[in-house]
Amino acid sequence: VIKYRTIGIMSSMQSNSSANVTFVRPATFFINGFFNIPHAKYYYVFLSLVYVVTILGNSFIMCIIYSARRLHTAKYIAVFHLAFSDLCGSTALIPKVIDIFLFEHQDISYEA
């Protein structure tokens, strides 16, 4: 009997706490850390160069590992995945930072 009372109390507490939970998500975030840098408009050249080198370097590594049969070992598969991860991360981050520097868009959407 005591066991059932404890379960009943716990289930009623869980149902009450889950009914009051609300998640608030902002529509956009405001980024203001890049605007105190002197000559910030010219950093897009450096970022563009870094982006191109990152794309070419990681693509080269991935193509070499993919095309050479003797490199299909666990170590090189891990290196391939690291290069792919770096390629995806750079593609997600650097164009947005270039957009911030060039066009002074200070907000970023929650989905981005």
Side-chain angles (χ1 to χ4, degrees):
V1 176
I2 295 173
K3 197 179 218 183
Y4 290 114
R5 285 184 186 167
T6 306
I7 292 172
I9 292 170
M10 289 299 288
S11 65
S12 67
M13 287 174 60
Q14 287 176 349
S15 65
N16 288 338
S17 66
S18 65
N20 294 331
V21 175
T22 57
F23 293 104
V24 177
R25 189 176 76 170
T28 60
F29 293 100
F30 186 76
I31 301 173
N32 63 357
F34 293 119
F35 295 102
N36 295 332
I37 301 173
H39 308 293
K41 285 197 170 277
Y42 300 111
Y43 286 117
Y44 74 90
V45 175
F46 173 71
L47 287 173
S48 299
L49 180 67
V50 167
Y51 184 60
V52 168
V53 168
T54 301
I55 296 294
L56 292 176
N58 287 323
S59 298
F60 179 72
I61 289 171
M62 290 168 50
C63 286
I64 293 298
I65 292 173
Y66 182 75
S67 63
R69 280 292 233 204
R70 62 187 169 99
L71 297 180
H72 290 189
T73 61
K75 177 174 58 173
Y76 290 106
I77 290 172
V79 171
F80 181 89
H81 285 116
L82 285 172
F84 182 72
S85 174
D86 186 38
L87 187 69
C88 292
S90 297
T91 302
L93 179 69
I94 293 179
K96 183 61 183 173
V97 175
I98 290 173
D99 179 48
I100 290 170
F101 280 132
L102 265 177
F103 303 112
E104 297 180 3
H105 293 153
Q106 297 179 354
D107 57 341
I108 184 168
S109 67
Y110 183 81
E111 288 81 19

